[in-house]
Amino acid sequence: MADLLSVDDAIARIVAGAVPIDAETVPLDAADGRTLAAPLAALRTQPPFPASAMDGYAVRVADIAAPPVRLRLLGMSAAGAGFAGKVGPGDAVRIFTGAPVPEGADAILIQEDAEALETSAVVARAGVAAGRYVRPAGLDFKTGAVLLYAGRDLASRELALAAAMGHATLPVRRRPKIAIVSTGDELVPPGTMPTGDQIIAASAPGLAAYIRSIGGEPYDLGIVGDNLADTERAIDQAVSLPADILMTLGGASVGDHDLVGKALAARGMALDFWKIAMRPGKPLMFGRIGAMRVLGLPGNPVSSLVCALLFLAPLVDTLLGRPLRDRSEPAVLAVNIAANDHRQDYVRATLTQADDLPLVTPLPRQDSSQLSVLAAADCLLVRAVNAPAAKAGDACRIIRLR
């Protein structure tokens, strides 16, 4: 349908003009889960000296070319306590993993190939190649080498590397502030038993968790009833945070009680679009109030969570300086499926791991009101607009949910 925007076009319009937000410096132990804001260069060389890769003896290769050979034992080199002397002809130094290789030695004779006679001698029972079991200085990296780049998410591997590079603090992007406003007279907060026509506002807790998982900082501004003044006040709260993104839940359609669009317009929002050719989640509004971007998601929890995955995540990626990425991956249908209509469909499905690609089985119920179905799903099976019927064994695309 001509008046419905495609998913790809909607994503492009949402991220258009967005630039990475400001950076801040945090201690290394506070950087887990953050996104690097600038390239990170090594402040030191690792290892800073030739180091032993094994327990054994530091030797000269030429001395043990024709084993067995008796060598003088000069002393010991241990991690943190290297041998200060020099290995000359016929000499050896007891050495341990990670210890500096003494000057003059050019290989490590592992202890399995040696026999200690007394405290001052050792017999080499085998020869060794030059450089064997020696880690050269700078084997891992050298001072000035850029090893981590802007846009890289920081986790255990990256933080260990940054520490080894000599960094105690890291430049990271500030977490985007994302305000969440739930709308509707029918909503009550979790923990409140609904009465009459009420329902529990389930979208906000799920979205807050998702926001944290993708690097954002959620601010739940609570539930606003179907009242224009109250809705405008909630928008003002988001502006005063200031939020980078305002996410409204519900009221993004055109019904008499759908006041979100009116309230946003009263607060100066420049509307970009509000309908997308997708299922679930057709009524999705996007616009801007000054620098704050506004995503009006459906109130339906399944629809709001699917829309967050598709549209919020790319916007957060852009604000954090991450490269935009295709979150879908190839899979294979486990069953026959029917042709699709004019809306791109995101079918809740389960996965079975096969030898090559995972097998996808749509769940039998697909009503967008059923959170239990979304919770049981492993992935979303992506069905393009007007996709023909497909058979078991056909290729498909999925987006993993866990």
Side-chain angles (χ1 to χ4, degrees), residues 295-310:
L295 278 174
L297 305 187
N300 179 299
V302 173
S303 298
S304 65
L305 288 166
V306 171
C307 286
L309 186 155
L310 295 175

Side-chain angles (χ1 to χ4, degrees), residues 49-54 57-59 77-78 82-83 85 87 93 95-96 98-108 131-136:
F49 44 75
S52 178
M54 298 287 283
Y57 298 86
V59 298
S77 181
F83 179 75
V87 175
V93 169
I95 197 166
F96 298 94
V101 176
E103 183 184 355
D106 56 5
I108 304 300
R132 186 64 169 158
Y133 303 121
V134 175
R135 296 169 178 156

Side-chain angles (χ1 to χ4, degrees), residues 128 135-137 153 171 173 192 201 232 237 309 397:
V128 65
R135 296 169 178 156
D153 289 339
R173 294 289 173 198
T192 302
E232 290 175 358
Q237 277 186 274
L309 186 155
R397 303 289 295 182

Side-chain angles (χ1 to χ4, degrees), residues 226-309:
D226 293 321
N227 177 287
L228 188 60
D230 288 346
T231 306
E232 290 175 358
R233 277 193 289 270
I235 296 168
D236 292 341
Q237 277 186 274
V239 171
S240 66
L241 267 174
D244 299 289
I245 303 169
L246 167 61
M247 244 180 11
T248 62
L249 308 179
S253 190
V254 291
D256 292 339
H257 294 285
D258 293 327
L259 303 177
V260 174
K262 296 176 184 177
L264 289 167
R267 288 298 182 263
M269 184 185 78
L271 177 66
D272 192 312
F273 63 82
W274 69 273
K275 288 192 294 184
I276 299 178
M278 65 175 287
R279 182 192 303 106
K282 173 185 170 184
L284 186 139
M285 184 190 311
F286 174 67
R288 298 177 183 83
I289 298 177
M292 183 175 71
R293 291 170 182 257
V294 180
L295 278 174
L297 305 187
N300 179 299
V302 173
S303 298
S304 65
L305 288 166
V306 171
C307 286
L309 186 155

Side-chain angles (χ1 to χ4, degrees), residues 34 67 90 118 129 176 179 189 196 208 210 229-230 243 253 264 274 278 286 296 318 328 346 350 364 388 390:
R34 305 297 295 271
E118 59 262 353
Y210 183 68
D230 288 346
S253 190
L264 289 167
W274 69 273
M278 65 175 287
F286 174 67
T318 303
S328 71
Y346 294 87
T350 57

